[in-house]
Amino acid sequence: MAEEDMQRRSETEAIMERLCEKMRRVCRKNKGKIPYTTDENGDYDDRADTSVEWPMDDGINWWTNGFWGGLMWLMYIETGEKEFREAAEISEKQLDRCFEMFYGIHHDVGFMYMPTAVMDHRITGNEESRKRGMHAASLLAGRFNPAGNFIRAWNENYGGDPTGRAIIDCMMNLSLLYWATEERQDPRFRHIAEAHAHTVMKYFVREDGSVCHIVDFDPETGAYISDEGGQGFGKGSSWSRGQAWAMYGFTVSYLHTGKKEYLDTAEKVAGYCISCLPESGIVPVDFRQPESPAWEDSCAAVILASGLLTLSGCAGQDRSETYRSAAEKLILTISRERADFGTGCDAVVQNCSAAYHDARHHFPMIYADYFYTEALLRLKGAELPVW
Ligand code: GLY
């Protein structure tokens, strides 16, 4: 092995050791919570807190609520320590309240149930978890609009008329439908996933490999109405996390179906993303944002990294190396410049941004820690039972 490769490998090992050390502490301190972000003291919040009156789409229905459990499963895979598994199992059961509430549930059940119930079922064979996964998959399938062949993203509480609205993020939720088909030997779920993926190829993916965030369709006729900048800078821009969801999502669609058009689309988006990555390795919120303010999104960086590592396992030899080395650079940059392994903050990955035009930027988000860990494990060669 070349000297440089060996150095990188031992750096990855050292980072993983520091991560495990921190996560043992964080797990002990936060067991029973479902965190999204930290407060001014660096303490995790709790989306499962029943004493708070949450808006319908927040609280237990918040779209990131699967990532704490998923992070705990990843740590269990790495260490085999039962504290992590217990924390994951607690959060999976807490999510049962979403099924009871129903109206707050949305298309992000993939993000919520793949890293919790489905990962649990794949690791332990737990039948209760399988049922939870199937229930969530049925809810996702129920959001499909056959007039326009798209899965409706959000509910009324997001403002405007969301009945004909689809968003790029949903490409990652499709894995729940593929899983359901594989579990039940019933192609209905896969048909819906593929119909949606084709709509995304047609209306979201641009010629240059960039993607838009939101597309509105007429929910009666299915006709295309317009596309929107969404969480990115604006119309025609290129929200970096959206590019990551698209690249990773099409890679996952390829892995479940073997269809080359999905692999080609993932590679087209990957090529575009790599061409946009700055020399610094720090990822902006939008690849087409103005130079100032220079808002960053570490979350986009780690999702891109994990997606590129997954893609590198499917692509031809020459491109595979390109994807892997881009991913490695992203993860090493986060580890050296944006990771907090200390005790002052519950989260590791810093400087995430939910949306370009939000008032708040550069804060921790639970899914950044999840995808950072996923990418580190993939760099170490792990095969992960998720997506
Ligand atoms: N799926 C919503 C986001 O990436 O912010």
Side-chain angles (χ1 to χ4, degrees), residues 250-313:
F250 275 106
T251 303
V252 169
S253 276
Y254 170 70
L255 285 170
H256 284 280
T257 63
K259 292 200 172 157
K260 192 165 174 309
E261 58 198 312
Y262 299 148
L263 178 60
D264 291 345
T265 307
E267 293 209 63
K268 184 169 162 175
V269 180
Y272 166 79
C273 291
I274 291 172
S275 76
C276 291
L277 291 177
E279 196 38 50
S280 66
I282 300 291
V283 175
V285 174
D286 194 304
F287 287 130
R288 294 177 185 164
Q289 71 189 34
E291 262 177 46
S292 170
W295 300 130
E296 306 171 14
D297 184 20
S298 301
C299 200
V302 293
I303 298 164
L304 268 174
S306 199
L308 285 169
L309 288 168
T310 309
L311 183 60
S312 83

Side-chain angles (χ1 to χ4, degrees), residues 160-195:
D161 177 8
T163 44
R165 181 156 276 199
I167 68 171
I168 194 68
D169 322 32
C170 193
M171 282 308 300
M172 285 300 282
N173 290 321
L174 300 186
S175 60
L176 183 61
L177 299 174
Y178 294 125
W179 169 80
T181 277
E182 289 150 17
E183 276 306 307
R184 304 291 293 168
Q185 303 303 313
D186 180 343
R188 280 178 305 144
F189 299 97
R190 191 188 65 239
H191 289 323
I192 290 174
E194 290 203 45

Side-chain angles (χ1 to χ4, degrees), residues 62-297:
W62 184 236
W63 76 275
T64 68
N65 282 354
F67 291 111
W68 168 253
L71 178 58
M72 296 295 104
W73 278 120
L74 294 182
M75 293 314 302
Y76 176 71
I77 289 168
E78 173 64 13
T79 65
E81 293 167 18
K82 72 173 187 346
E83 286 73 18
F84 290 122
R85 176 174 168 167
E86 282 165 9
E89 288 168 344
I90 292 169
S91 83
E92 181 184 329
K93 289 199 187 91
Q94 284 169 313
L95 290 181
D96 285 349
R97 277 200 284 129
C98 302
F99 295 145
E100 288 159 24
M101 288 167 77
F102 182 76
Y103 292 110
I105 211 82
H106 37 68
H107 75 145
D108 283 329
V109 284
F111 284 126
M112 294 167 77
Y113 289 88
M114 287 305 284
T116 53
V118 173
M119 184 117 82
D120 186 345
H121 177 252
R122 282 174 171 163
I123 293 172
T124 70
N126 181 357
E127 179 51 28
E128 283 308 307
S129 303
R130 183 173 185 255
K131 272 193 269 182
R132 289 185 178 108
M134 286 308 303
H135 201 126
S138 303
L139 289 170
L140 184 56
R143 300 184 74 84
F144 182 68
N145 184 331
N149 283 322
F150 65 88
I151 293 173
R152 171 180 165 173
W154 297 324
N155 299 325
E156 281 70 18
N157 40 319
Y158 277 82
D161 177 8
T163 44
R165 181 156 276 199
I167 68 171
I168 194 68
D169 322 32
C170 193
M171 282 308 300
M172 285 300 282
N173 290 321
L174 300 186
S175 60
L176 183 61
L177 299 174
Y178 294 125
W179 169 80
T181 277
E182 289 150 17
E183 276 306 307
R184 304 291 293 168
Q185 303 303 313
D186 180 343
R188 280 178 305 144
F189 299 97
R190 191 188 65 239
H191 289 323
I192 290 174
E194 290 203 45
H196 181 85
H198 278 264
T199 301
V200 172
M201 282 196 288
K202 184 165 174 193
Y203 293 106
F204 286 70
V205 183
R206 305 181 187 121
E207 211 33 62
D208 64 358
S210 69
V211 300
C212 61
H213 183 198
I214 294 175
V215 173
D216 285 320
F217 298 94
D218 181 325
E220 284 294 347
T221 65
Y224 166 91
I225 298 174
S226 66
D227 63 85
E228 305 293 337
Q231 285 162 251
F233 178 67
K235 203 173 169 67
S237 76
S238 166
W239 178 45
S240 57
R241 198 158 68 246
Q243 320 306 297
W245 293 140
M247 181 269 295
Y248 202 165
F250 275 106
T251 303
V252 169
S253 276
Y254 170 70
L255 285 170
H256 284 280
T257 63
K259 292 200 172 157
K260 192 165 174 309
E261 58 198 312
Y262 299 148
L263 178 60
D264 291 345
T265 307
E267 293 209 63
K268 184 169 162 175
V269 180
Y272 166 79
C273 291
I274 291 172
S275 76
C276 291
L277 291 177
E279 196 38 50
S280 66
I282 300 291
V283 175
V285 174
D286 194 304
F287 287 130
R288 294 177 185 164
Q289 71 189 34
E291 262 177 46
S292 170
W295 300 130
E296 306 171 14
D297 184 20

